[in-house]
């Protein structure tokens, strides 16, 4: 029985923490969805804990605890997969920005040269 | 010969201070009608200043991106400026500018969309590379030959010219590391006409081959995987 309340406590805490992070604009909804839905999932199974054993059996797990461990592993597997995806996305964006900054810098230099006065010196400012 | 089409020579350079000045001046002297852009890939030496004083336009990337990122920058610039043809010439001056028209002409005459300079097609080519490198080149030549139906001898060569159609595509997407063999497969996916022409190679004047940094095995696996994956992408 105590494990049930402990699970509810952890799920609610994480849920509230994530909501707080969104409120403080430290996390966007897009990246929090994964965590929020995991919390809801844990909450549902903790409150309706009589469903855990039949569900575990349905998926072929003799011990419900093994089923829970399996779910946790799947959760982290997907989490790291998504994180890899995000890193890649960030990488591509940074690369594009670097390339565009390089081209823009070149164009600015060219314009300055065309104007004939070169880059502005600190004294004239 | 009159050339009405606009040609951009793209020189990716990472710490090529030893060779860049000589190379830019040589190309400028031989082909005054072509524009040169040096893509200075975050060099820590005087590559930028030397290339500029030699008369090239220099795009300096604030962070080192590697050869693929540098070349893509060139394609982006070429697409923005609406060039008809780009030629990639390595910053270490290994690619002999004397052969430049060999790769450019088939593009300018609209015979092909991608023209690869092969060091092995040149008569009496004394070019020697390491044993592992030769195995890699032969492997990719066969793999790409089978997949694209185009007979190739030097698929890893960077000395190549690209026509307008591909410039746009490569500006959007170009492979990051070891891009050369994969770029051929991508070009074929865009139904580009591809050919090889003989070019002369020289001893490198400076710099270190980007391939030496990585193990050849990783290079082979990565590029093979990338080429095979490209087969799964829809052709245009």
């Amino acid at each position: 029985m105590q494990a049930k309340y402990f699970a509810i406590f952890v799920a609610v805490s994480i849920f509230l923490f994530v909501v707080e992070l969104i409120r403080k604009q430290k996390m966007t909804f897009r990246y929090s969805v994964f965590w929020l839905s995991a919390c809801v999932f844990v909450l549902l199974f903790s409150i309706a804990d009589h469903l855990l054993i039949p569900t575990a059996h349905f998926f072929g797990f003799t011990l419900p605890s093994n089923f829970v461990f399996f779910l946790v592993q799947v959760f982290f597997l997907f989490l790291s997969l998504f994180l890899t995806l995000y890193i890649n996305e960030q990488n591509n964006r940074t690369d594009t920005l670097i390339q565009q900054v390089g081209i823009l810098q070149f164009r600015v230099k060219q314009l300055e040269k065309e104007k004939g006065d070169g880059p502005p010196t600190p004294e004239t400012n | 010969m009159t050339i009405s089409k606009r040609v951009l020579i793209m020189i990716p350079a990472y710490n090529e201070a030893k060779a860049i000045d000589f190379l830019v001046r040589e190309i400028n002297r031989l082909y005054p009608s072509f524009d040169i852009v040096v893509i200075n890939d975050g060099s820590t030496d005087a590559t930028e200043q030397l290339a500029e004083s030699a008369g090239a336009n220099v795009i300096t990337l604030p962070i080192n991106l590697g050869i693929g990122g540098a070349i893509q920058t060139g394609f982006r610039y070429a697409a923005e400026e609406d060039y008809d043809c780009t030629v990639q010439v390595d910053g270490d001056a290994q690619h002999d500018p004397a052969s430049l028209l060999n790769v450019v002409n088939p593009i300018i005459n609209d015979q092909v969309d991608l023209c690869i300079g092969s060091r092995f097609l040149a008569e009496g080519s004394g070019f020697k590379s390491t044993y592992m490198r030769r195995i890699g080149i032969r492997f990719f030549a066969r793999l790409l030959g089978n997949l694209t139906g185009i007979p190739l001898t030097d698929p890893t060569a960077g000395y190549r010219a690209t026509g307008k159609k591909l410039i746009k595509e490569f500006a959007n997407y170009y492979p990051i590391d070891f891009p050369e063999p994969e770029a051929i497969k991508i070009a074929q996916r865009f139904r580009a006409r591809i050919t090889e022409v003989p070019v002369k190679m020289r001893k490198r004047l400076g710099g270190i081959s980007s391939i030496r940094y990585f193990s050849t095995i990783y290079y082979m696996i990565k590029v093979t995987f990338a080429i095979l994956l490209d087969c799964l992408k829809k052709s245009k």
Side-chain angles (χ1 to χ4, degrees):
Chain A
M1 269 319 258
Q2 271 162 346
K4 169 181 173 167
Y5 295 117
F6 186 65
I8 293 174
F9 173 74
V10 170
V12 169
S13 308
I14 293 177
F15 190 90
L16 291 179
F17 182 60
V18 172
V19 169
E20 176 65 8
L21 284 175
I22 301 171
R23 201 185 61 83
K24 280 188 182 163
Q25 300 186 353
K26 287 191 173 173
M27 206 191 254
T28 56
F29 185 73
R30 185 179 168 205
Y31 295 94
S32 60
V33 169
F34 201 68
W35 287 101
L36 293 179
S37 31
C39 290
V40 170
F41 186 79
V42 171
L43 259 182
L44 287 179
F45 261 111
S46 331
I47 294 166
D49 57 349
H50 58 277
L51 287 179
L52 189 62
I53 293 168
T55 317
H57 283 168
F58 176 79
F59 284 108
F61 291 89
T62 330
L63 283 175
S65 55
N66 280 353
F67 179 52
V68 172
F69 281 130
F70 174 75
L71 289 183
V72 169
Q73 287 200 7
V74 168
F75 173 80
F76 282 113
L77 198 78
F78 274 97
L79 186 68
S80 52
L81 199 68
F82 281 123
L83 288 178
T84 314
L85 202 73
Y86 292 143
I87 289 173
N88 260 284
E89 203 179 80
Q90 297 304 320
N91 229 351
N92 288 341
R93 289 177 183 192
T94 321
D95 282 3
T96 307
L97 283 176
I98 292 169
Q99 294 176 343
Q100 292 295 1
V101 166
I103 294 175
L104 280 176
Q105 257 176 355
F106 165 68
R107 287 189 191 284
V108 169
K109 249 192 197 175
Q110 261 193 332
L111 280 175
E112 279 170 350
K113 245 186 240 165
E114 268 170 38
K115 274 180 75 186
D117 47 19
T121 47
E123 289 89 29
T124 54
N125 284 342
Chain B
M1 193 184 70
T2 53
I3 297 166
S4 56
K5 297 208 170 174
R6 292 174 69 224
V7 177
L8 178 70
I9 297 168
M10 317 189 290
I11 308 176
Y14 174 64
N15 289 345
E16 300 285 9
K18 273 182 198 154
I20 198 77
D21 176 77
F22 165 78
L23 178 67
V24 170
R25 283 180 204 278
E26 187 182 18
I27 296 175
N28 255 338
R29 183 166 42 82
L30 289 171
Y31 312 101
S33 63
F34 294 170
D35 294 340
I36 304 177
V37 66
V38 172
I39 300 114
N40 170 31
D41 192 8
S43 297
T44 50
D45 63 2
T47 300
E48 182 181 9
Q49 292 78 5
L50 286 167
E52 247 167 21
S53 64
N57 287 327
V58 182
I59 295 177
T60 294
L61 301 177
I63 298 166
N64 177 271
L65 283 184
I67 179 75
I71 285 301
Q72 192 184 16
T73 311
F75 282 124
R76 269 183 209 277
Y77 177 69
E80 283 177 15
E81 294 288 312
D82 207 30
Y83 276 97
D84 300 298
C85 170
T86 60
V87 200
Q88 179 184 338
V89 179
D90 279 358
D92 57 10
Q94 227 182 344
H95 299 156
D96 192 339
S99 308
L100 199 99
L101 286 180
N102 287 10
V103 282
V104 172
N105 278 341
I107 303 278
I108 291 179
N109 300 333
D110 200 28
Q111 291 160 323
V112 294
D113 303 301
L114 176 65
C115 187
I116 302 155
S118 166
R119 65 202 111 168
F120 304 116
L121 286 180
E123 238 173 85
S125 160
F127 190 83
K128 289 269 183 293
S129 58
T130 64
Y131 180 68
M132 279 304 271
R133 188 94 197 260
R134 278 204 303 273
I135 291 181
I137 290 169
R138 217 171 293 164
F139 171 75
F140 286 123
R142 196 172 285 180
L143 178 73
L144 282 165
N146 283 336
L147 290 174
T148 63
I150 303 154
L152 294 164
T153 58
D154 201 358
T156 62
Y159 202 1
R160 45 178 72 183
T162 309
K164 210 165 194 173
K165 181 172 124 183
L166 279 180
I167 290 174
K168 261 188 215 154
E169 303 300 344
F170 285 155
N172 280 332
Y173 175 78
Y174 200 69
I176 304 291
D177 30 305
F178 325 123
E180 286 86 9
E182 196 185 337
I184 298 175
K185 179 67 191 69
I186 294 170
Q188 184 254 351
R189 185 154 54 80
F190 288 111
R191 305 200 185 285
R193 297 158 295 167
I194 304 166
T195 194
E196 263 188 349
V197 292
V199 289
K200 266 191 232 145
M201 295 279 265
R202 303 188 288 210
K203 269 179 118 180
R204 57 193 318 123
L205 283 180
I208 308 160
S209 167
S210 56
I211 289 174
R212 213 184 283 172
Y213 284 120
F214 304 89
S215 76
T216 318
I217 300 294
Y218 171 76
Y219 171 86
M220 303 261 289
I221 293 170
K222 189 258 155 187
V223 179
T224 308
F225 188 66
I227 289 171
L228 291 176
L229 262 188
D230 194 81
C231 295
L232 298 176
K233 294 184 186 168
K234 261 189 210 153
S235 56
K236 299 270 160 88

